[in-house]
Amino acid sequence: PQFEQSSLQAVHQHRRELLSNVCSRYTRKRRLLRPDDLRHLVVDDTHGLLYCYVPKVACTNWKRVMMVLTGQGKYQDPLEIPAHEAHVPSNLRSLSEYSVPEINSRLRTYLKFVFVREPLERLVSAYRNKFTLSYNTAFHKRYGTRIVRRHRRQPSERALQRGDDVRFDEFVYYLLDPRTQQEEPFNEHWERVHSLCHPCIIHYDVVGKYETLAEDASYILQLVGADASVKFPASSKTTRTTDNMTAQFFQDISPFYQRRLFNLYKMDYLLFNYSIPSYLRIR
């Protein structure tokens, strides 16, 4: 439908303009990209497509779709691909694996897209997924034990060893602790989108939103002329982190820490035009 297409074009044009205005206001000096900056960009050479994946923003389904698009007929239906397989690095090529001339020509000529989400909702989604599910033992061991050791008064021996009962407030203190980023970069599940995808250096053609996932996804697939049989999987709404749920997590976080956390993610709020959530007590 022509009308639908043109109104979608206007929406995406507006998102690009806003992004570019915020970038010119807040970034003084454009630095050069290093190969390490490009690890999150997945390449589809068949359709001329670059996708910067952001964890907790439908990235498993997008990687599945990219595997269908790049798989030379090996996969037909994204949902037939097991979730863990979508995250095996060798199944998709990252832009960082190419030579400098190949990188530059792809950045110049391919359609580039990224999907974003309300920052604190994405953060709560990451917390729920990584710290409240019993099977995520690697996260409990690597991050949970450290969080408990630093941010819990008189932790039990069991908690120190297992790190599988991290509270949300402890996770917030960990994110705001200056030592955290001095020791290593944030994990990709809670790293800011602007640090993962560099939207002020890479000019994205489409900024998709989690809130309008289905229409933005089909718009992109149409733009690159993907086969009509390739459909973006409909999301399962059952366990999804919603705005109301996010608000509940913030009830027990003091206004002081709410403001500091908001400031940590402020650039993502500005770049992608999200307003300050009504549940935050920071006015």
Side-chain angles (χ1 to χ4, degrees):
Q2 210 55 49
F3 169 72
E4 203 174 294
Q5 196 68 359
S6 62
S7 67
L8 266 172
Q9 280 166 348
V11 165
H12 288 285
Q13 172 75 19
H14 177 68
R15 286 180 191 170
R16 280 197 305 273
E17 284 169 2
L18 189 124
L19 182 59
S20 138
N21 289 341
V22 173
C23 286
S24 57
R25 273 222 315 273
Y26 289 91
T27 51
R28 282 175 209 57
K29 193 162 165 274
R30 280 189 56 175
R31 65 179 183 77
L32 289 174
L33 287 164
R34 299 180 299 268
D36 200 43
D37 295 324
L38 307 172
R39 283 176 310 135
H40 273 249
L41 282 148
V42 175
V43 183
D44 170 7
D45 282 324
T46 316
H47 298 88
L49 197 55
L50 289 177
Y51 160 53
C52 188
Y53 70 89
V54 178
K56 306 315 297 169
V57 193
C59 93
T60 303
N61 278 344
W62 263 117
K63 285 182 174 181
R64 285 169 162 149
V65 170
M66 294 293 279
M67 282 171 74
V68 171
L69 292 175
T70 56
Q72 275 94 42
K74 189 175 163 192
Y75 311 98
Q76 256 74 49
D77 177 3
L79 285 177
E80 281 171 8
I81 302 169
H84 66 87
E85 205 164 305
H87 297 291
V88 174
S90 57
N91 282 335
L92 289 164
R93 282 197 79 183
S94 153
L95 190 58
S96 59
E97 296 167 38
Y98 290 76
S99 70
V100 171
E102 287 172 330
I103 288 170
N104 286 330
S105 84
R106 279 160 182 75
L107 283 172
R108 241 192 342 269
T109 58
Y110 282 15
L111 182 101
K112 300 172 287 297
F113 76 98
V114 59
F115 267 76
V116 299
R117 181 178 186 177
E118 203 288 325
L120 294 183
E121 185 180 293
R122 175 176 165 245
L123 186 69
V124 168
S125 178
Y127 165 77
R128 288 179 66 215
N129 182 263
K130 298 303 169 199
F131 294 106
T132 71
L133 301 176
S134 56
Y135 61 77
N136 269 323
T137 48
F139 269 82
H140 302 157
K141 276 263 183 284
R142 177 157 184 200
Y143 297 102
T145 52
R146 190 184 305 173
I147 293 171
V148 166
R149 190 172 67 248
R150 277 199 186 156
H151 301 289
R152 184 176 299 180
R153 287 197 187 122
Q154 298 169 322
S156 69
E157 243 348 280
R158 182 193 174 284
L160 285 168
Q161 271 168 12
R162 296 177 65 157
D164 60 355
D165 63 346
V166 169
R167 299 191 314 268
F168 183 66
D169 60 333
E170 294 170 330
F171 177 52
V172 169
Y173 303 148
Y174 164 76
L175 293 174
L176 295 171
D177 184 340
R179 288 172 295 185
T180 302
Q181 283 198 70
Q182 280 160 14
E183 284 167 4
E184 58 177 347
F186 273 174
N187 178 279
E188 59 177 16
H189 289 83
W190 45 87
E191 181 58 279
R192 284 72 51 102
V193 177
H194 72 90
S195 302
L196 292 175
C197 294
H198 313 286
C200 290
I201 310 174
I202 296 169
H203 296 297
Y204 288 94
D205 302 289
V206 181
V207 176
K209 293 204 164 185
Y210 193 69
E211 297 77 16
T212 49
L213 179 60
E215 52 265 49
D216 290 348
S218 67
Y219 177 66
I220 289 163
L221 293 172
Q222 274 177 334
L223 281 179
V224 294
D227 194 283
S229 63
V230 182
K231 295 271 185 278
F232 189 84
S235 70
S236 59
K237 291 280 191 271
T238 45
T239 57
R240 223 201 92 180
T241 302
T242 60
D243 188 51
N244 286 346
M245 201 183 283
T246 305
Q248 285 169 359
F249 276 88
F250 279 90
Q251 276 176 349
D252 300 329
I253 306 294
S254 74
F256 174 75
Y257 283 108
Q258 286 186 8
R259 169 159 292 286
R260 288 187 58 204
L261 194 67
F262 173 77
N263 285 339
L264 186 62
Y265 290 91
K266 187 176 179 177
M267 199 60 190
D268 281 357
Y269 274 95
L270 294 168
L271 289 166
F272 307 117
N273 201 20
Y274 285 105
S275 45
I276 300 177
S278 56
Y279 55 77
L280 287 188
R281 305 187 299 283
I282 62 176
R283 280 162 184 72

mmCIF file of all heavy atoms in Angstrom, residues 4 12-13 30 57-58 67 72 79 123 136 157 176 178 180 190 196 215 224 252 255 258 272 276:
data_model
loop_
_atom_site.group_PDB
_atom_site.id
_atom_site.type_symbol
_atom_site.label_atom_id
_atom_site.label_comp_id
_atom_site.label_asym_id
_atom_site.label_seq_id
_atom_site.Cartn_x
_atom_site.Cartn_y
_atom_site.Cartn_z
ATOM 1 N N GLU A 4 0.664 3.796 3.066
ATOM 2 C CA GLU A 4 1.317 3.250 4.261
ATOM 3 C C GLU A 4 2.829 3.413 4.150
ATOM 4 O O GLU A 4 3.511 3.810 5.079
ATOM 5 C CB GLU A 4 0.957 1.764 4.367
ATOM 6 C CG GLU A 4 1.066 1.223 5.768
ATOM 7 C CD GLU A 4 0.564 -0.209 5.829
ATOM 8 O OE1 GLU A 4 -0.643 -0.432 5.613
ATOM 9 O OE2 GLU A 4 1.404 -1.096 6.043
ATOM 10 N N HIS A 12 10.413 7.524 9.513
ATOM 11 C CA HIS A 12 11.844 7.202 9.577
ATOM 12 C C HIS A 12 12.716 8.405 9.236
ATOM 13 O O HIS A 12 13.802 8.570 9.807
ATOM 14 C CB HIS A 12 12.149 5.983 8.708
ATOM 15 C CG HIS A 12 11.617 4.723 9.337
ATOM 16 N ND1 HIS A 12 12.233 4.131 10.420
ATOM 17 C CD2 HIS A 12 10.502 3.994 9.096
ATOM 18 C CE1 HIS A 12 11.523 3.081 10.805
ATOM 19 N NE2 HIS A 12 10.471 2.976 10.022
ATOM 20 N N GLN A 13 12.239 9.222 8.357
ATOM 21 C CA GLN A 13 12.932 10.476 8.035
ATOM 22 C C GLN A 13 13.023 11.345 9.301
ATOM 23 O O GLN A 13 14.079 11.886 9.630
ATOM 24 C CB GLN A 13 12.132 11.204 6.938
ATOM 25 C CG GLN A 13 12.598 12.619 6.611
ATOM 26 C CD GLN A 13 13.868 12.627 5.789
ATOM 27 O OE1 GLN A 13 14.226 11.624 5.171
ATOM 28 N NE2 GLN A 13 14.565 13.745 5.788
ATOM 29 N N ARG A 30 34.172 14.215 15.866
ATOM 30 C CA ARG A 30 33.902 12.860 15.363
ATOM 31 C C ARG A 30 35.184 12.056 15.345
ATOM 32 O O ARG A 30 36.161 12.449 14.730
ATOM 33 C CB ARG A 30 33.330 12.946 13.947
ATOM 34 C CG ARG A 30 31.861 13.270 13.933
ATOM 35 C CD ARG A 30 31.298 13.119 12.555
ATOM 36 N NE ARG A 30 31.545 11.781 12.038
ATOM 37 C CZ ARG A 30 31.069 11.341 10.892
ATOM 38 N NH1 ARG A 30 30.352 12.120 10.136
ATOM 39 N NH2 ARG A 30 31.323 10.118 10.473
ATOM 40 N N VAL A 57 16.592 -6.143 22.471
ATOM 41 C CA VAL A 57 15.722 -5.415 21.537
ATOM 42 C C VAL A 57 15.461 -6.336 20.347
ATOM 43 O O VAL A 57 15.887 -6.053 19.215
ATOM 44 C CB VAL A 57 16.348 -4.073 21.078
ATOM 45 C CG1 VAL A 57 15.289 -3.210 20.383
ATOM 46 C CG2 VAL A 57 16.926 -3.287 22.249
ATOM 47 N N ALA A 58 14.823 -7.452 20.613
ATOM 48 C CA ALA A 58 14.456 -8.432 19.565
ATOM 49 C C ALA A 58 15.674 -8.916 18.778
ATOM 50 O O ALA A 58 15.561 -9.265 17.604
ATOM 51 C CB ALA A 58 13.417 -7.832 18.603
ATOM 52 N N MET A 67 20.082 -14.869 9.432
ATOM 53 C CA MET A 67 20.568 -16.203 9.033
ATOM 54 C C MET A 67 19.754 -16.738 7.847
ATOM 55 O O MET A 67 20.297 -17.393 6.961
ATOM 56 C CB MET A 67 20.515 -17.171 10.216
ATOM 57 C CG MET A 67 21.674 -16.973 11.188
ATOM 58 S SD MET A 67 21.478 -17.936 12.718
ATOM 59 C CE MET A 67 21.835 -19.594 12.122
ATOM 60 N N GLN A 72 21.625 -18.716 1.973
ATOM 61 C CA GLN A 72 21.530 -19.369 0.648
ATOM 62 C C GLN A 72 20.545 -20.545 0.652
ATOM 63 O O GLN A 72 20.846 -21.633 0.160
ATOM 64 C CB GLN A 72 22.906 -19.868 0.171
ATOM 65 C CG GLN A 72 23.728 -18.803 -0.536
ATOM 66 C CD GLN A 72 24.671 -18.082 0.418
ATOM 67 O OE1 GLN A 72 25.302 -18.705 1.264
ATOM 68 N NE2 GLN A 72 24.756 -16.774 0.303
ATOM 69 N N LEU A 79 11.890 -19.021 12.823
ATOM 70 C CA LEU A 79 11.552 -19.663 14.100
ATOM 71 C C LEU A 79 12.020 -21.107 14.200
ATOM 72 O O LEU A 79 11.992 -21.704 15.275
ATOM 73 C CB LEU A 79 10.046 -19.562 14.365
ATOM 74 C CG LEU A 79 9.580 -18.161 14.800
ATOM 75 C CD1 LEU A 79 8.083 -18.111 14.970
ATOM 76 C CD2 LEU A 79 10.263 -17.710 16.086
ATOM 77 N N LEU A 123 16.814 -2.134 30.322
ATOM 78 C CA LEU A 123 17.670 -2.483 31.457
ATOM 79 C C LEU A 123 16.987 -3.490 32.386
ATOM 80 O O LEU A 123 17.602 -4.474 32.809
ATOM 81 C CB LEU A 123 18.023 -1.206 32.238
ATOM 82 C CG LEU A 123 19.022 -1.394 33.365
ATOM 83 C CD1 LEU A 123 20.403 -1.710 32.819
ATOM 84 C CD2 LEU A 123 19.083 -0.160 34.255
ATOM 85 N N ASN A 136 20.890 -19.056 33.963
ATOM 86 C CA ASN A 136 21.957 -18.143 33.546
ATOM 87 C C ASN A 136 23.147 -18.156 34.504
ATOM 88 O O ASN A 136 23.615 -17.114 34.963
ATOM 89 C CB ASN A 136 21.406 -16.723 33.383
ATOM 90 C CG ASN A 136 20.942 -16.487 31.968
ATOM 91 O OD1 ASN A 136 21.564 -16.984 31.023
ATOM 92 N ND2 ASN A 136 19.862 -15.760 31.798
ATOM 93 N N GLU A 157 27.664 -17.031 52.668
ATOM 94 C CA GLU A 157 28.692 -17.776 51.916
ATOM 95 C C GLU A 157 28.118 -18.252 50.585
ATOM 96 O O GLU A 157 28.757 -18.179 49.541
ATOM 97 C CB GLU A 157 29.123 -18.991 52.745
ATOM 98 C CG GLU A 157 30.574 -19.059 53.213
ATOM 99 C CD GLU A 157 31.550 -18.064 52.604
ATOM 100 O OE1 GLU A 157 32.012 -18.314 51.471
ATOM 101 O OE2 GLU A 157 31.880 -17.046 53.235
ATOM 102 N N LEU A 176 26.260 1.961 38.763
ATOM 103 C CA LEU A 176 26.661 3.338 39.075
ATOM 104 C C LEU A 176 28.001 3.421 39.813
ATOM 105 O O LEU A 176 28.523 4.506 40.014
ATOM 106 C CB LEU A 176 25.566 4.011 39.915
ATOM 107 C CG LEU A 176 24.225 4.193 39.187
ATOM 108 C CD1 LEU A 176 23.152 4.667 40.160
ATOM 109 C CD2 LEU A 176 24.346 5.148 38.018
ATOM 110 N N PRO A 178 31.709 3.656 40.161
ATOM 111 C CA PRO A 178 32.773 4.057 39.213
ATOM 112 C C PRO A 178 33.744 2.922 38.893
ATOM 113 O O PRO A 178 34.292 2.857 37.797
ATOM 114 C CB PRO A 178 33.503 5.191 39.934
ATOM 115 C CG PRO A 178 32.634 5.598 41.059
ATOM 116 C CD PRO A 178 31.662 4.496 41.353
ATOM 117 N N THR A 180 33.125 -0.103 38.314
ATOM 118 C CA THR A 180 32.593 -1.053 37.337
ATOM 119 C C THR A 180 33.148 -0.787 35.943
ATOM 120 O O THR A 180 33.684 -1.679 35.292
ATOM 121 C CB THR A 180 31.046 -0.998 37.330
ATOM 122 O OG1 THR A 180 30.590 -1.299 38.648
ATOM 123 C CG2 THR A 180 30.467 -1.999 36.355
ATOM 124 N N TRP A 190 23.683 -4.479 29.046
ATOM 125 C CA TRP A 190 23.307 -3.199 29.674
ATOM 126 C C TRP A 190 24.145 -2.026 29.178
ATOM 127 O O TRP A 190 24.027 -0.920 29.657
ATOM 128 C CB TRP A 190 23.313 -3.282 31.207
ATOM 129 C CG TRP A 190 24.497 -3.971 31.845
ATOM 130 C CD1 TRP A 190 25.701 -3.416 32.188
ATOM 131 C CD2 TRP A 190 24.565 -5.353 32.257
ATOM 132 N NE1 TRP A 190 26.517 -4.358 32.772
ATOM 133 C CE2 TRP A 190 25.842 -5.557 32.832
ATOM 134 C CE3 TRP A 190 23.677 -6.428 32.197
ATOM 135 C CZ2 TRP A 190 26.260 -6.796 33.332
ATOM 136 C CZ3 TRP A 190 24.083 -7.658 32.692
ATOM 137 C CH2 TRP A 190 25.363 -7.825 33.250
ATOM 138 N N LEU A 196 27.296 0.883 21.727
ATOM 139 C CA LEU A 196 27.356 -0.368 20.958
ATOM 140 C C LEU A 196 27.338 -0.101 19.462
ATOM 141 O O LEU A 196 27.998 -0.790 18.690
ATOM 142 C CB LEU A 196 26.154 -1.267 21.296
ATOM 143 C CG LEU A 196 26.052 -1.876 22.693
ATOM 144 C CD1 LEU A 196 24.726 -2.618 22.833
ATOM 145 C CD2 LEU A 196 27.207 -2.830 22.951
ATOM 146 N N GLU A 215 5.940 -3.353 12.305
ATOM 147 C CA GLU A 215 5.902 -2.537 11.077
ATOM 148 C C GLU A 215 7.289 -2.083 10.630
ATOM 149 O O GLU A 215 7.578 -2.042 9.430
ATOM 150 C CB GLU A 215 4.927 -1.350 11.185
ATOM 151 C CG GLU A 215 5.088 -0.452 12.384
ATOM 152 C CD GLU A 215 4.168 -0.841 13.539
ATOM 153 O OE1 GLU A 215 4.133 -2.033 13.896
ATOM 154 O OE2 GLU A 215 3.503 0.059 14.092
ATOM 155 N N VAL A 224 14.939 -3.862 1.330
ATOM 156 C CA VAL A 224 16.072 -4.595 0.752
ATOM 157 C C VAL A 224 15.620 -5.650 -0.252
ATOM 158 O O VAL A 224 16.430 -6.428 -0.749
ATOM 159 C CB VAL A 224 16.973 -5.261 1.824
ATOM 160 C CG1 VAL A 224 17.669 -4.207 2.652
ATOM 161 C CG2 VAL A 224 16.205 -6.229 2.685
ATOM 162 N N ASP A 252 11.372 0.967 44.643
ATOM 163 C CA ASP A 252 12.252 0.950 45.816
ATOM 164 C C ASP A 252 13.619 1.580 45.563
ATOM 165 O O ASP A 252 14.520 1.488 46.399
ATOM 166 C CB ASP A 252 12.436 -0.490 46.313
ATOM 167 C CG ASP A 252 11.103 -1.109 46.711
ATOM 168 O OD1 ASP A 252 10.226 -0.356 47.159
ATOM 169 O OD2 ASP A 252 10.925 -2.332 46.536
ATOM 170 N N PRO A 255 15.094 8.430 44.722
ATOM 171 C CA PRO A 255 15.206 9.451 43.669
ATOM 172 C C PRO A 255 16.660 9.778 43.317
ATOM 173 O O PRO A 255 16.981 10.007 42.151
ATOM 174 C CB PRO A 255 14.496 10.659 44.270
ATOM 175 C CG PRO A 255 13.501 10.070 45.219
ATOM 176 C CD PRO A 255 14.158 8.839 45.786
ATOM 177 N N GLN A 258 17.781 7.036 41.112
ATOM 178 C CA GLN A 258 17.001 7.105 39.863
ATOM 179 C C GLN A 258 17.599 8.149 38.928
ATOM 180 O O GLN A 258 17.761 7.909 37.735
ATOM 181 C CB GLN A 258 15.537 7.462 40.167
ATOM 182 C CG GLN A 258 14.741 6.332 40.770
ATOM 183 C CD GLN A 258 13.266 6.688 40.916
ATOM 184 O OE1 GLN A 258 12.812 7.726 40.439
ATOM 185 N NE2 GLN A 258 12.520 5.819 41.575
ATOM 186 N N PHE A 272 17.225 8.827 20.686
ATOM 187 C CA PHE A 272 16.132 8.039 20.116
ATOM 188 C C PHE A 272 14.758 8.547 20.546
ATOM 189 O O PHE A 272 13.752 7.866 20.389
ATOM 190 C CB PHE A 272 16.332 6.558 20.461
ATOM 191 C CG PHE A 272 17.697 6.080 20.054
ATOM 192 C CD1 PHE A 272 18.607 5.629 20.998
ATOM 193 C CD2 PHE A 272 18.099 6.128 18.721
ATOM 194 C CE1 PHE A 272 19.889 5.222 20.616
ATOM 195 C CE2 PHE A 272 19.375 5.731 18.336
ATOM 196 C CZ PHE A 272 20.269 5.270 19.285
ATOM 197 N N ILE A 276 11.268 11.113 29.519
ATOM 198 C CA ILE A 276 11.569 10.636 30.877
ATOM 199 C C ILE A 276 10.359 9.849 31.379
ATOM 200 O O ILE A 276 9.235 10.352 31.346
ATOM 201 C CB ILE A 276 11.840 11.814 31.829
ATOM 202 C CG1 ILE A 276 13.041 12.635 31.344
ATOM 203 C CG2 ILE A 276 12.088 11.313 33.251
ATOM 204 C CD1 ILE A 276 13.335 13.856 32.184
#
